[in-house]
Amino acid sequence: MKRNHRFALPLPSPRRLACAVPLVFAAAAAHATTDWVDTHTKAFLTGPQLMARSAVPSLELADGEITDIVVTLNLRNAGQLRQLAHDVNQPGNAHYRQYLTPEQFLDSYAPTEAQVKSVVDYLRKNGFVNVQVAPNRLLVSARGTAGTAKTAFNTSLVHYQDASRSGFVNASKAQVPRALGAAVGSVLGLQNVARARPMLRIGNVAKPQALAAGTATGHYPKEFPGLYNATGVPAAAGVTVGIITMGGVSQTLKDLEQFTSSNGYGTVTTQTVETNGTGTPGSYNDDQKDLVGEWNLDSQSIVGSAGGQVGKLIFYMADLNAAGNTGLTQAFNRAVSDNVAKVINVSLGWCETDADKDGTIDAEEPIFTVAAAQGQTFSVSSGDEGVYECNNRGFPNGTNYTVPWPAASPHVLAIGGTTLYTTSTGAFSNETVWNDGLDPAGKLWATGGGVSTILPAPVWQSGSNRRLPDVSFDAAPSTGAYIYEHGQLQLEGGTSLAAPIFTGLWARLLAANGTSLGFPAGRLYRAIPSNPSLVRYDVVLGNNGYQGSGYKANTGWDYATGFGSLSITNLNELIRSGGF
């Protein structure tokens, strides 16, 4: 049976092509002799799109150009695993808090060793080297070339360029021989033009502004526990927290040391994990231009929100040079297969339709499902482009609303952003939807929120499709966090601040109640409507669009800020009473 997948057929020797259309025709001819089935990796761009968007004619990559790929394997008993992920987090269920162990996953849900061997043998037969299998058998990574990828997956890689990005993309669906069809889910690494980016917004250090809504000013991370009513909950000593990064964190570790020293905190135990597999070269240098500030914001905001203590911070580092978002998939999977960190921060995201095209959603949604079944919580930024995530990264486009991945996963918590106002004495006052409007280039900066066009709604949400965010915390650069970067304080915001605030606060709740709290989304959606005191502030002012577009905040849950922010001490009391 032919499956809905995404790639094309191998062509003869490399050659110049005037456009992408001949690739499709050549692929069709090869079907006469080979029985291929589609994977879940679609043609990243169709032939007409390539012609319309490329400034120069598309050229097929030379056969010898190096490319690293990741083949994702399908779960066994996928429906049962999804049910288990629900049951172990459902109070009153017979399986409540009987979390899946990695050993149980291998026994009942992982691809079989025979399936893995068939994929490994196929890759090696087609010329791939450095073939590595993830410990949970969900991913098989390998190094090859454009030529080996074309032969193995029946698609050609072509150069791509438009006004904002350049690289290569696959010209047709990725396919595998029918004998591998039941095992293989998708093939990652066949495009490198669409990549996740940090949800970070740099602010300008300024004097506090007394506005009608309250005082707008920056905050030191140690202030967030007081602002979100968490000081009645112990610090997160003993709790291991994961942070997903792209590239290295050597400068971040130096800045974290300055942060803890300056605030009178003890030294934080840290660990760095390279996640692209052993034996395969990867890049784990610091990206000084964009990413150091992101990892600083994550780590310092987590530690400050956690009360100055965590058991350990583990930085799961994605290969900075991996094609597309292949490195992130490996980093997510390593955090889940390790099953050490029970809360994991992700201040990254990208267009969910791009993630669907290249097979990433098919690859990563099973990983997040396993995490929920194991009692792990991914805290994920909901985006900084308002309702226009896929519209040229935040440039308004009427009512064509879109959301980011992985925040759209029904097995993560999507964390939106607010503007946090305080009283003249620095106490919490209120919050509004974070929306800074358009920058000089015409890009919207506002909290992400809306409806997924791809992911179904979880049982704890109404409607047919996943809605986000779930909850929200401070994100506005004007009221954001003072973060140490290269020895200097920098004011930073974005939902890249909101997510680590929640991560640090949730770590406190784990410390107070044991690491068996599990994935809390369903319980939050049940508890908050009947326990209004769980909400620190129900955001009712603002929207996440532009000139009448977007979603407005309302009483209760809304597409702009979810339920709003949480009162951590009140939530802790409900947990301890057995009502959560």
Side-chain angles (χ1 to χ4, degrees):
M1 180 176 66
K2 194 164 186 175
R3 296 158 51 210
N4 181 18
H5 276 49
R6 351 188 162 182
F7 262 72
L9 312 163
L11 293 175
S13 58
R15 56 187 178 184
R16 287 177 173 265
L17 297 170
C19 66
V21 173
L23 296 174
V24 178
F25 291 161
H31 273 283
T33 57
T34 308
D35 187 14
W36 298 95
V37 294
D38 296 342
T39 71
H40 287 288
T41 301
K42 301 170 183 172
F44 197 78
L45 293 175
T46 66
Q49 286 175 319
L50 279 167
M51 288 188 291
R53 297 177 67 173
S54 294
V56 297
S58 299
L59 303 176
E60 188 177 351
L61 267 65
D63 270 4
E65 291 198 43
I66 299 295
T67 182
D68 292 329
I69 57 92
V70 171
V71 177
T72 73
L73 276 65
N74 293 318
L75 293 166
R76 284 180 292 149
N77 307 315
Q80 293 179 20
L81 179 63
R82 288 191 294 271
Q83 186 62 49
L84 181 65
H86 169 268
D87 292 349
V88 297
N89 294 293
Q90 173 72 28
N93 190 282
H95 297 287
Y96 182 49
R97 292 189 174 177
Q98 295 180 15
Y99 298 117
L100 183 71
T101 67
E103 294 76 19
Q104 290 170 334
F105 174 76
L106 289 173
D107 288 342
S108 300
Y109 304 105
T112 66
E113 292 182 356
Q115 288 175 319
V116 172
K117 183 178 185 302
S118 66
V119 172
V120 169
D121 291 345
Y122 180 73
L123 293 174
R124 288 174 174 161
K125 177 182 177 182
N126 282 278
F128 286 92
V129 297
N130 289 347
V131 181
Q132 304 290 327
V133 180
N136 60 6
R137 303 201 292 260
L138 284 179
L139 307 179
V140 180
S141 60
R143 167 154 289 191
T145 65
T148 57
K150 181 173 65 175
T151 300
F153 306 120
N154 209 22
T155 188
S156 294
L157 306 183
V158 296
H159 292 286
Y160 169 81
Q161 181 176 346
D162 65 13
S164 62
R165 57 190 184 180
S166 62
F168 64 84
V169 298
N170 51 298
S172 54
K173 295 177 180 179
Q175 297 182 315
V176 293
R178 185 170 297 276
L180 297 180
V184 174
S186 57
V187 183
L188 308 181
L190 301 180
Q191 66 85 18
N192 68 349
V193 299
R195 301 199 73 184
R197 62 190 180 282
M199 303 300 187
L200 173 70
R201 175 73 163 151
I202 304 299
N204 296 315
V205 178
K207 294 181 179 180
Q209 292 182 290
L211 305 172
T215 300
T217 187
H219 302 283
Y220 295 96
K222 66 181 179 182
E223 296 177 45
F224 290 123
L227 292 168
Y228 288 110
N229 192 29
T231 54
V233 182
V239 175
T240 298
V241 177
I243 301 177
I244 303 296
T245 75
M246 295 167 60
V249 294
S250 59
Q251 182 61 45
T252 290
L253 296 179
K254 296 175 184 177
D255 292 329
L256 179 62
E257 185 176 358
Q258 181 175 5
F259 165 77
T260 54
S261 175
S262 298
N263 285 278
Y265 297 147
T267 300
V268 175
T269 300
T270 61
Q271 179 183 354
T272 59
V273 180
E274 298 180 0
T275 61
N276 69 327
T278 58
T280 304
S283 174
Y284 296 99
N285 297 320
D286 289 5
D287 184 323
Q288 300 289 348
K289 179 181 179 182
D290 297 314
L291 298 180
V292 168
E294 177 59 73
W295 319 140
N296 288 352
L297 181 62
D298 287 352
S299 56
Q300 294 173 37
S301 298
I302 288 170
V303 173
S305 298
Q309 299 180 64
V310 295
K312 181 188 289 187
L313 282 181
I314 302 180
F315 295 87
Y316 288 100
M317 304 184 300
D319 180 0
L320 192 60
N321 289 342
N325 294 288
T326 304
L328 281 179
T329 304
Q330 293 174 310
F332 294 149
N333 193 56
R334 180 62 183 272
V336 172
S337 63
D338 282 357
N339 196 26
V340 174
K342 290 302 180 182
V343 60
I344 302 156
N345 192 81
V346 183
S347 294
L348 298 157
W350 58 309
C351 170
E352 72 164 357
T353 55
D354 285 346
D356 181 52
K357 283 182 182 179
D358 80 346
T360 296
I361 289 180
D362 178 75
E364 292 178 355
E365 181 56 19
I367 295 171
F368 296 134
T369 305
V370 175
Q374 292 180 164
Q376 294 175 290
T377 297
F378 276 86
S379 170
V380 182
S381 299
S382 74
D384 291 356
E385 285 73 38
V387 290
Y388 298 118
E389 170 63 37
C390 299
N391 304 105
N392 199 21
R393 296 186 178 182
F395 288 84
N397 185 19
T399 58
N400 184 18
Y401 300 163
T402 49
V403 297
W405 176 263
S409 167
H411 290 103
V412 308
L413 272 184
I415 313 298
T418 67
T419 300
L420 170 64
Y421 295 99
T422 52
T423 67
S424 59
T425 60
F428 182 95
S429 176
N430 66 87
E431 292 170 288
T432 61
V433 178
W434 168 49
N435 189 332
D436 283 349
L438 305 187
D439 67 13
K443 179 188 182 302
L444 176 66
W445 290 92
T447 181
V451 186
S452 171
T453 60
I454 298 167
L455 282 303
V459 296
W460 33 267
Q461 279 190 331
S462 60
S464 59
N465 288 58
R466 168 74 160 119
R467 306 185 302 169
L468 57 149
D470 299 306
V471 293
S472 294
F473 292 88
D474 186 24
S478 60
T479 66
Y482 289 113
I483 300 300
Y484 282 99
E485 187 167 340
H486 294 281
Q488 303 296 319
L489 282 174
Q490 171 70 59
L491 186 61
E492 299 179 359
T495 54
S496 280
L497 169 61
I501 289 175
F502 173 80
T503 298
L505 296 174
W506 186 249
R508 294 177 83 121
L509 292 170
L510 290 172
N513 298 281
T515 56
S516 61
L517 284 181
F519 178 57
R523 281 164 288 160
L524 287 172
Y525 275 76
R526 286 189 301 273
I528 289 175
S530 57
N531 295 274
S533 66
L534 298 183
V535 176
R536 178 60 162 164
Y537 196 81
D538 183 0
V539 181
V540 295
L541 293 177
N543 70 84
N544 65 344
Y546 177 70
Q547 289 188 339
S549 67
Y551 297 103
K552 294 181 179 179
N554 295 296
T555 301
W557 189 96
D558 55 64
Y559 293 105
T561 60
F563 284 114
S565 59
L566 298 176
S567 171
I568 301 304
T569 294
N570 292 357
L571 179 56
N572 184 54
E573 291 174 354
L574 185 65
I575 294 170
R576 294 176 68 85
S577 71
F580 183 80

